[in-house]
Amino acid sequence: MRRLLPVLLAALSITATTGTASAAPRYTEYVALGDSAAAGPLIPNQDVLHLGCLRSTRNWPSVLASTLGVAEFRDVTCSGAVADDFEGGQTTFLGAVPPQFDALTPTTDLVTLTIGGNDIGLVGAALGCVNLLPEPVGLSCEDRLTAGGTDQLAVKIDAFADEFGAVLDGVHARAPRADVVVVGYGTYIRPGGCYPVQPLWGRDSDYLQASIDRLNALFADQAAAHGARFVDIAPPSVGHDVCAPVSRRWFEGLVPTTVAAPLHPNQRGMAGIGAYIADSLPASAS
C-alpha cells in the first residue's frame, strides 16, 4: 500500500491538471459589435451607462460571454447602428457614442457582429407591409417594392456586399488574432405568415423573410471571402417566429407580448441565440 500511494497521488495530479486544462476558456477577450438585433432594446435590464444605445445586459452577446466564461467582455452593440458607425461613430437620442471599432485591440481573440438591417431598411420595409384589412383591401408591399420588375430590397442588399466585406477587413486589421463571427438574422415569420395574428399578408410575409434570407446569404458569402465564420440563426429559430405561441416566441411581432422592441428578439430569443452561437464555435480557440 505504501508503494501504491505515490502512484495514486501522481495519477490524481495528472487527472487534476488535465481537467483544469480542458476547462480553460476558449477565449479571453471578447468584443461584440452590432445593431439592435444584438443589442436588445427595452429588454430588462438596460445598460444604464449607455442608455442611448438601448442595450440590454441580457442580450445574446452577454449570454455568449457568460457561457464561454471570457475574462474580458466589451459589448458596444447599439440600436440603430449602421455599418458606417463602426468606424465613424454614432449619434443616439442621448448623444454621440464612439466608433464601435474603438473597442477592438490587438489582443481581442473573439469578435461577433450583426449589422446590415438598418443599412437596407428592413424594419421600415416591414412596417410598410402592415395591412389591417385582408386582401384585396389595401396594397401589397411586395407589389410596391418590386414594381417595374426591380426588387428594391434585393438591390439594396446586393449593394451592401462590398461595404460589409470592408467591415470584416476593418475588424481583422484592428484585431488580427481574433476569431470573427458574423451572426445573421433569424426566421422572423413562417411561410404564409399568420394573418391576422400579425397584420402582414401571406405573400408579403414571404417576401420579407426571403429578403432576410437573401441578406443572410450575403453574410455567408462575405464571411467566407474575408476570413470570418458565419453563424446562421435562421434554422434554430424556425418555430420561434412572431406567429408562434407567446411561450415559444424568440421574436416579437408588431405588438410585443413581452418587454422587448417590436420586430426584435425578446429575452427568450436572446437566450436561445446565445446558446446556439456558443455551440457553433470550435471547441478551442483557433
Side-chain angles (χ1 to χ4, degrees), residues 32-51:
L33 312 173
D35 59 21
S36 56
L42 305 185
I43 296 173
N45 295 319
Q46 293 287 290
D47 183 350
V48 296
L49 297 179
H50 305 92
L51 284 176

Side-chain angles (χ1 to χ4, degrees), residues 77-88:
T77 59
C78 195
S79 298
V82 296
D84 284 346
D85 296 330
F86 281 8
E87 187 166 11

Side-chain angles (χ1 to χ4, degrees), residues 150-170:
T150 299
D151 184 336
Q152 296 179 38
L153 279 183
V155 169
K156 291 180 179 180
I157 291 169
D158 294 347
F160 184 60
D162 289 343
E163 186 173 8
F164 187 72
V167 165
L168 294 177
D169 291 343

